[in-house]
Amino acid sequence: MKVTFPHMGNAWIVIQTLFESLNVEVVVPPTNSKQTLNLGTRLSPESACLPLKLNLGNYVEAADKGADTIVITGGIGPCRFGLYGEMERQILRDAGYDYEVVILEPPDGSLLGLFKRIRYLAGTQNSWTQILKALRFAYRKSVALDRVEDLIHAARARLPQHMETEKLYEDAKRQLALTMTDAGLRETVRRVQESIRERLREVNRAEGPKEPLRIGIIGEIYTILDPYTSGDVEQYLGRLGVEVDRSIYLSGWTGNHVFQGLAPGYRSIKSYPRHAKPYLPHFVGGHGQETVGAAVKFAREGFDGIIQIFPLTCMPEIVAASVLPQVQEAYKVPIMTLIVDEHTGQAGIQTRLEAFVDLLERASLQRVIGQTGGEVLSVGGR
Amino acid sequence: MKIGFPRALYYFDYFPFWAGFFYRLGIEVITSPPTHRQIMEQGLKKASDETCLPLKLMAGHIQALTNVDAVFLPRMVSVEENTYSCPKFLGIPETLLPAVPLGIPVLSVVLNWRKSKRQILKDLQDFGIQLGKNRTEIRKAFIEGQAWQKRYEDSKGAGWDFEDSLREIERATKGLTMSQSTPIHSSIPAKDKDIDRLRISLVGHSYLTLESYANLDILRRLREKAEVELTEHVNQEEVNAHLLGLRKKLFWSHAKQIYGSGNKFVKDPQVDGVIYLSCFGCGTDSMVQEMLARIAREQHKPYMVVTLDEHSGEAGLVTRLEAFLDMVERRKIHEGNVSTYGERLDRDSNTL
């Protein structure tokens, strides 16, 4: 049995660790690319949402590397992600890929069924204690990964050498993927921290400390966690000198979704529904309510702008998107919505991001010099 | 007190329940007129761009509700156990708030059959306080509503016309005159219902198949040339029986109806062709349509998907319908005995 799984940003590092510590052979599909998307789009129903298309692309590419079993989480709605596993199984079977699909969910609410599926994946040589231990280590790794990512978010906006920051990030990810001890995790996070602090000191000495604009990224989890899907929004904003924060981090999601709230994760998503209450008091599936809650939270924390990203036709996010104008009005914070699908071009996203950042910069500049727009001469004199 | 009920979305399935509920409470229910051009245009202005056609129509219908004391927008989370409505249904009271005319309050209540009946009653009773009704009154109204809903659902199995049965319900609610709307679908003379006519099944959300303005009167157009069966005509037992083969249960109530009935139609040798009526951006259809298409391919059943949006043109639809019906007819008459050799030819074809 060679297990594979769909990509979602850095999730592969955690999933790979999980299976390897259980001695299950795992095939990490090649990272999401144009090729992945093309392969997936060819097999998918036209109006399916983007993650399904990328997932299928991942499986096709993983099949070339010998994978024969797919692991994916499930759900019982109302977001259509709950049907992904079954849908993908049918599509792949018709396309001639002989995959076994294991959906990690309690089938018809039966926990025993879920345990059977986990047992099937883990094989007979692992005890439940070992499985639990592996799960907990994978979870700790995802927290470390999120911490590194957050540090990089801050570093991108402040350090002038963009490529060095990216290199630091890639190195840290590689180290995290390889390490199998808690000490290794701590060491990696510490090294990233140190190296950023050192570089920052040099920059500050040369130019003085800089207060970058802050933008909150909210929206559908796959599109905000996966840089390929969102057209590298976070990296690009970082290059424009903007500090980015995100509503959902990988471990926050697993803590809530997989461990049912037993583990908080990095940046827990638990508080969002409370924040969303005045605007969307009921959950709407997926992360619709969380999106609205995160927007309110970011606005309260004084973020300069908010960007919502979701795949075309995503139902929960459409609900959130139609509520967000009220948040925008109430907190006077600009909110931009980016909708992505297989036809989204990098240049289009970049243009919109640049325009959005320009708009925010102008607003904050005007706050500093105490002027409000309207006077032609004031613009000319500046 | 006069409560406005927009003639869109859940109107087509659950209006009888709410009509019975309010009838018992002595509250007058005003429905918006059948969709016309202006309603659609108003709706497009107020609803968000990304949302689907039925929701945009709903926004239009809300604006068409004039001289009412309040607009009623229930949050229909779930209408049967272990299912959900579409996520967009769950957010209706908030997302369509901009469409409600200024000064008219919105009444909303959560209806969630995933929870116990007692919880539903409790939610309704909390809502009743807003209306100034006590708990016993609400309980009686709830029972009345369920009875109306049951009667309506039973009648559909017997082949009743949707418009007819609803008209009956509306006649029962006090102070409601439906005289302005002329009968729409009752125009098929009985003599036309002979055996030679094609039998076409139209599956899709009730708020599309029965919304004759938005679907460009597809039902009438089809009925001119063929016998038409709808998702609603399949009774619940049959729907459930045809859901059994699924490895993973569907969790949307509408999708269950559509898939169950579609599965029945596709496997029914009496049915000559299946048309799936969908709308652009429908999340549940994107999955269910694909699943049905797969069975249709296996069963060699003519199958067509019509996707509606606010830009749908009549000529385009008519051409497609004619082509489809011609194809089905031709197949029925000329290709009754396809050789086993021919079967291999179209095994992987999408067009069948």
Side-chain angles (χ1 to χ4, degrees):
Chain A
M1 182 172 69
K2 286 187 176 182
V3 176
T4 191
F5 52 87
H7 266 300
M8 181 167 81
N10 293 332
W12 66 272
I13 297 176
V14 180
I15 304 170
Q16 188 191 29
T17 306
L18 178 63
F19 283 115
E20 279 182 353
S21 50
L22 292 172
N23 283 319
V24 177
E25 213 175 333
V26 57
V27 175
V28 180
T31 39
N32 285 344
S33 63
K34 190 87 199 159
Q35 162 94 345
T36 317
L37 189 52
N38 281 341
L39 288 170
T41 310
R42 210 172 296 156
L43 293 180
S44 313
E46 182 193 3
S47 53
C49 48
L50 189 61
L52 183 94
K53 297 175 182 176
L54 280 161
N55 283 1
L56 283 170
N58 288 147
Y59 303 146
V60 171
E61 287 184 312
D64 294 342
K65 295 171 80 183
D68 57 14
T69 305
I70 292 168
V71 182
I72 186 170
T73 57
I76 48 155
C79 165
R80 71 184 109 169
F81 174 72
L83 282 176
Y84 265 32
E86 174 59 12
M87 195 80 225
E88 290 165 353
R89 186 185 68 85
Q90 291 187 7
I91 292 174
L92 288 169
R93 196 193 50 199
D94 281 11
Y97 292 93
D98 192 16
Y99 264 121
E100 184 71 42
V101 180
V102 180
I103 307 172
L104 288 182
E105 63 174 346
D108 301 328
S110 131
L111 274 178
L112 190 68
L114 175 63
F115 289 144
K116 270 190 198 148
R117 289 179 183 181
I118 296 175
R119 175 52 77 197
Y120 172 78
L121 282 175
T124 43
Q125 79 273 30
N126 288 300
S127 67
W128 282 106
T129 339
Q130 275 171 304
I131 295 175
L132 213 63
K133 211 175 133 210
L135 270 172
R136 279 170 53 188
F137 179 69
Y139 168 73
R140 283 198 297 276
K141 191 176 261 196
S142 71
V143 175
L145 203 53
D146 287 342
R147 196 158 286 155
V148 167
E149 200 177 2
D150 210 16
L151 286 169
I152 294 294
H153 284 156
R156 274 179 184 148
R158 292 179 173 87
L159 299 179
Q161 304 291 344
H162 300 303
M163 287 329 283
E164 272 178 36
T165 317
E166 294 312 320
K167 189 168 172 301
L168 184 68
Y169 186 32
E170 291 304 320
D171 286 345
K173 276 201 285 189
R174 199 169 312 127
Q175 277 163 13
L176 282 177
L178 291 177
T179 187
M180 291 305 256
T181 59
D182 281 317
L185 296 180
R186 274 195 301 273
E187 174 60 21
T188 313
V189 177
R190 199 190 55 80
R191 207 158 20 190
V192 173
Q193 230 164 355
E194 282 306 308
S195 131
I196 290 175
R197 188 172 298 151
E198 204 173 294
R199 290 178 204 188
L200 201 59
R201 210 175 291 137
E202 285 169 30
V203 174
N204 283 353
R205 216 179 2 242
E207 301 168 14
K210 164 172 153 193
E211 249 339 290
L213 283 176
R214 290 195 301 165
I215 290 183
I217 308 270
I218 58 176
E220 193 274 332
I221 177 163
Y222 189 95
T223 40
I224 59 177
L225 285 189
D226 194 72
Y228 174 75
T229 318
S230 64
D232 271 328
V233 163
E234 292 176 2
Q235 191 187 336
Y236 195 73
L237 283 173
R239 284 188 185 200
L240 292 174
V242 177
E243 189 180 327
V244 173
D245 199 352
R246 204 196 299 142
S247 58
I248 304 175
Y249 284 83
L250 185 61
S251 59
W253 176 73
T254 39
N256 206 308
H257 193 78
V258 182
F259 297 108
Q260 296 298 318
L262 291 176
Y266 188 73
R267 202 63 54 82
S268 170
I269 60 176
K270 259 188 185 164
S271 71
Y272 291 144
R274 187 165 44 84
H275 286 292
K277 203 126 212 183
Y279 305 97
L280 192 59
H282 200 280
F283 101 108
V284 292
H287 292 99
Q289 202 186 12
E290 280 81 358
T291 295
V292 176
V296 172
K297 190 156 171 270
F298 282 137
R300 282 203 188 133
E301 286 170 3
F303 273 69
D304 297 283
I306 294 168
I307 298 179
Q308 185 201 18
I309 311 175
F310 63 90
L312 185 74
T313 75
C314 174
M315 301 177 280
E317 293 299 326
I318 286 175
V319 175
S322 22
V323 175
L324 284 179
Q326 292 169 45
V327 180
Q328 175 170 281
E329 195 54 40
Y331 290 94
K332 303 285 176 225
V333 57
I335 301 179
M336 176 169 79
T337 300
L338 287 177
I339 303 176
V340 291
D341 69 358
E342 64 268 32
H343 304 297
T344 303
Q346 187 100 14
I349 289 187
Q350 288 179 355
T351 313
R352 291 195 63 191
L353 289 180
E354 278 170 24
F356 189 64
V357 172
D358 277 355
L359 177 123
L360 297 183
E361 267 170 357
R362 198 179 146 79
S364 70
L365 193 72
Q366 280 173 344
R367 261 201 301 281
V368 172
I369 55 179
Q371 281 175 340
T372 50
E375 261 182 274
V376 180
L377 285 178
S378 73
V379 178
R382 178 156 57 78
Chain B
M1 189 177 188
K2 280 194 274 187
I3 281 186
F5 197 101
R7 188 190 291 264
L9 285 182
Y10 31 61
Y11 170 85
F12 294 98
D13 291 300
Y14 313 114
F15 180 66
F17 172 77
W18 292 115
F21 181 77
F22 287 119
Y23 172 68
R24 185 74 198 210
L25 291 177
I27 293 172
E28 194 180 326
V29 177
I30 308 268
T31 47
S32 50
T35 315
H36 51 71
R37 193 188 153 94
Q38 207 190 347
I39 287 183
M40 175 120 117
E41 279 174 2
Q42 293 287 334
L44 294 182
K45 274 180 204 154
K46 291 285 181 179
S48 86
D49 291 341
E50 293 90 41
T51 198
C52 56
L53 178 65
L55 244 88
K56 291 175 184 173
L57 288 175
M58 177 101 171
H61 278 282
I62 292 173
Q63 292 170 78
L65 286 167
T66 43
N67 59 54
V68 290
D69 298 317
V71 175
F72 182 56
L73 300 176
R75 196 193 303 278
M76 312 278 280
V77 177
S78 163
V79 291
E80 55 179 323
E81 260 174 83
N82 292 325
T83 63
Y84 275 110
S85 302
C86 160
K88 288 174 196 162
F89 274 48
L90 272 61
I92 279 177
E94 285 77 29
T95 49
L96 292 182
L97 203 60
V100 179
L102 274 181
I104 297 182
V106 174
L107 289 174
S108 184
V109 61
V110 176
L111 192 80
N112 189 350
W113 276 99
R114 295 175 70 86
K115 294 185 178 157
S116 63
K117 194 171 166 182
R118 182 192 276 171
Q119 179 65 36
I120 295 168
L121 255 178
K122 196 181 161 291
D123 286 340
L124 285 174
Q125 280 164 345
D126 290 346
F127 169 63
I129 294 170
Q130 285 179 53
L131 301 170
K133 305 286 174 190
N134 67 31
R135 297 169 151 274
T136 354
E137 283 174 306
I138 295 288
R139 183 172 308 120
K140 279 186 185 148
F142 176 68
I143 292 165
E144 178 97 23
Q146 274 191 304
W148 286 37
Q149 182 71 23
K150 176 114 192 6
R151 209 159 61 220
Y152 170 65
E153 272 165 20
D154 291 347
S155 71
K156 281 192 296 197
W160 268 35
D161 198 50
F162 166 76
E163 298 278 342
D164 281 345
S165 43
L166 264 194
R167 217 166 288 132
E168 187 134 303
I169 286 159
E170 284 176 349
R171 224 170 286 137
T173 58
K174 282 187 296 180
L176 196 77
T177 47
M178 283 296 298
S179 53
Q180 73 269 34
S181 82
T182 45
I184 301 169
H185 298 311
S186 52
S187 49
I188 322 142
K191 66 176 169 60
D192 277 1
K193 294 185 177 173
D194 55 58
I195 333 162
D196 284 348
R197 282 162 67 87
L198 291 174
R199 278 187 63 195
I200 300 291
S201 299
L202 183 70
V203 294
H205 294 285
S206 53
Y207 47 75
L208 287 173
T209 52
L210 301 171
E211 168 58 81
S212 50
Y213 180 82
N215 66 26
L216 307 165
D217 231 352
I218 191 170
L219 210 51
R220 189 182 53 75
R221 287 175 208 280
L222 275 174
R223 278 187 170 152
E224 277 171 9
K225 298 205 171 121
E227 291 297 305
V228 183
E229 279 177 300
L230 295 174
T231 304
E232 284 74 22
H233 295 153
V234 184
N235 64 31
Q236 200 55 46
E237 288 81 49
E238 263 185 296
V239 167
N240 291 340
H242 282 90
L243 283 168
L244 287 177
L246 286 174
R247 280 215 348 194
K248 160 111 194 177
K249 279 185 189 161
L250 290 165
F251 41 69
W252 301 296
S253 36
H254 259 174
K256 275 170 82 173
Q257 299 295 332
I258 294 171
Y259 181 82
S261 61
N263 197 359
K264 173 194 175 278
F265 290 142
V266 165
K267 290 190 175 147
D268 184 353
Q270 302 286 314
V271 173
D272 297 308
V274 178
I275 298 179
Y276 195 121
L277 191 66
S278 174
C279 63
F280 179 74
C282 178
T284 65
D285 278 354
S286 74
M287 292 288 171
V288 177
Q289 186 267 108
E290 177 71 13
M291 291 160 86
L292 269 186
R294 187 153 273 123
I295 325 173
R297 259 198 307 272
E298 279 165 15
Q299 303 283 332
H300 290 234
K301 181 75 70 183
Y303 176 83
M304 176 170 77
V305 181
V306 175
T307 307
L308 297 170
D309 65 10
E310 56 269 35
H311 310 296
S312 301
E314 205 169 284
L317 180 78
V318 171
T319 313
R320 287 194 65 195
L321 282 184
E322 280 173 359
F324 183 75
L325 291 174
D326 283 354
M327 188 267 288
V328 171
E329 195 177 341
R330 203 187 144 77
R331 189 169 189 265
K332 193 179 180 185
I333 297 169
H334 302 292
E335 296 171 31
N337 301 309
V338 183
S339 68
T340 44
Y341 176 72
E343 216 167 271
R344 286 215 53 86
L345 280 179
D346 64 2
R347 201 194 57 164
D348 296 318
S349 128
N350 278 330
T351 46
L352 267 181

